[in-house]
Amino acid sequence: PLFLNQLQKDLEEVKELLTNATRKRVRDVLVAEKQKLELEIKNQPPPKPKDVAEEEKSSLGGYTVKINNYGWDQSDKFVKIYISLNGVQKLPAENVQVNFTERSFDLLVKNLNGKNYTMTFNNLLKPISVEGSSRKIKTDMILVMCKKKREEKWDCLTQVEKESKEKEKAAYDTADPSEGLMNILKKMYAEGDDEMKRTINKAWVESREKQYKGDIPMDI
């Protein structure tokens, strides 16, 4: 609307100048400018009705923030995800939406202090019941209740977490116990300070010496 107002003011001034212009060349320039301005004004998008604009503004808030921090717990029947959001209890209930599928859920909080908040969990570890799942709004917190399809313990929340844990375990839990220990020592050495490196080196040297002495046959 501000840009449109400027164009209309420019057009009014051009019209006023035209009424006073006597030189053909000046009039031609002003007529061309008048036609250009009229076309620009015609091509401006129509302004939205106020109530629609206000509704969009209130539903969308400002920009969208992705929530990364959460806590979780479980009972026999539910997996519970706790999400802290200051002042969330002051919002209308319809501004806090959670959509569930059998293996996922996504949360959208609209217009909390001028921002939207989203959180998505895909590939949940085990299937959940969409009908039995819900969300509760508490003081400065949202509680997402995922109803387990089977009453069993979950080791983690998602399939990705499970695979990540299994890979980490596989790195140390090899068929050869000494190889697993070697991997742990290598990790400690790589991440350790100078003192840690000296300690590991010393232990390594002593271990090799013992091995060497133990390998010598008794009859030599």
Side-chain angles (χ1 to χ4, degrees), residues 1-214:
L2 190 63
F3 184 56
L4 186 60
N5 285 344
Q6 296 298 327
L7 288 175
Q8 283 165 341
K9 282 179 183 174
D10 289 349
L11 181 59
E12 282 165 24
E13 194 163 312
V14 166
K15 283 179 180 175
E16 199 176 319
L17 289 168
L18 258 172
T19 59
N20 298 322
T22 54
R23 306 285 299 164
K24 183 179 181 302
R25 189 171 174 185
V26 173
R27 283 184 68 81
D28 287 348
V29 169
L30 287 169
V31 167
E33 187 61 27
K34 176 175 167 279
Q35 288 170 345
K36 186 179 161 191
L37 283 165
E38 283 170 343
L39 188 64
E40 263 193 83
I41 288 167
K42 188 182 170 188
N43 289 336
Q44 284 296 303
K48 286 182 182 175
K50 194 178 177 195
D51 56 341
V52 173
E54 286 300 313
E55 191 182 321
E56 279 190 15
K57 189 180 172 189
S58 67
S59 68
L60 292 175
Y63 58 93
T64 299
V65 180
K66 198 169 180 184
I67 304 169
N68 293 314
N69 295 328
Y70 64 91
W72 75 285
D73 192 7
Q74 62 184 310
S75 63
D76 290 341
K77 294 182 178 179
F78 287 94
V79 168
K80 306 166 193 177
I81 296 95
Y82 301 88
I83 299 128
S84 295
L85 275 178
N86 285 338
V88 70
Q89 74 279 5
K90 295 172 190 168
L91 287 178
E94 63 269 18
N95 279 33
V96 181
Q97 300 168 358
V98 183
N99 294 315
F100 296 96
T101 75
E102 194 177 65
R103 292 297 283 271
S104 76
F105 74 83
D106 61 86
L107 165 73
L108 171 62
V109 179
K110 293 196 283 189
N111 200 18
L112 176 61
N113 301 324
K115 296 175 192 170
N116 305 310
Y117 293 84
T118 63
M119 171 181 256
T120 302
F121 274 94
N122 291 317
N123 299 316
L124 289 170
L125 186 67
K126 297 174 191 291
I128 61 172
S129 159
V130 174
E131 300 77 26
S133 298
S134 61
R135 59 105 179 96
K136 293 179 181 176
I137 301 168
K138 297 178 175 290
T139 304
D140 298 334
M141 181 185 286
I142 298 166
L143 170 58
V144 179
M145 306 273 290
C146 297
K147 174 82 185 292
K148 295 177 178 178
K149 276 216 165 172
R150 288 188 299 276
E151 293 187 15
E152 56 187 327
K153 186 173 180 285
W154 288 26
D155 295 326
C156 47
L157 266 181
T158 63
Q159 196 64 35
V160 175
E161 280 180 67
K162 184 188 175 193
E163 286 165 12
S164 170
K165 280 184 180 179
E166 283 174 353
K167 275 182 193 166
E168 205 171 296
K169 188 169 180 285
Y172 304 122
D173 190 15
T174 56
D176 180 356
S178 64
E179 193 180 326
L181 178 64
M182 189 60 63
N183 284 333
I184 292 169
L185 283 171
K186 280 179 186 170
K187 190 169 188 289
M188 284 169 68
Y189 189 86
E191 294 172 2
D193 55 16
D194 290 344
E195 187 63 35
M196 174 68 79
K197 286 177 179 168
R198 276 196 294 274
T199 305
I200 291 171
N201 277 332
K202 188 177 173 214
W204 174 254
V205 170
E206 286 174 2
S207 162
R208 298 301 291 170
E209 282 175 356
K210 280 180 192 169
Q211 257 187 332
Y212 179 71
K213 284 173 186 168

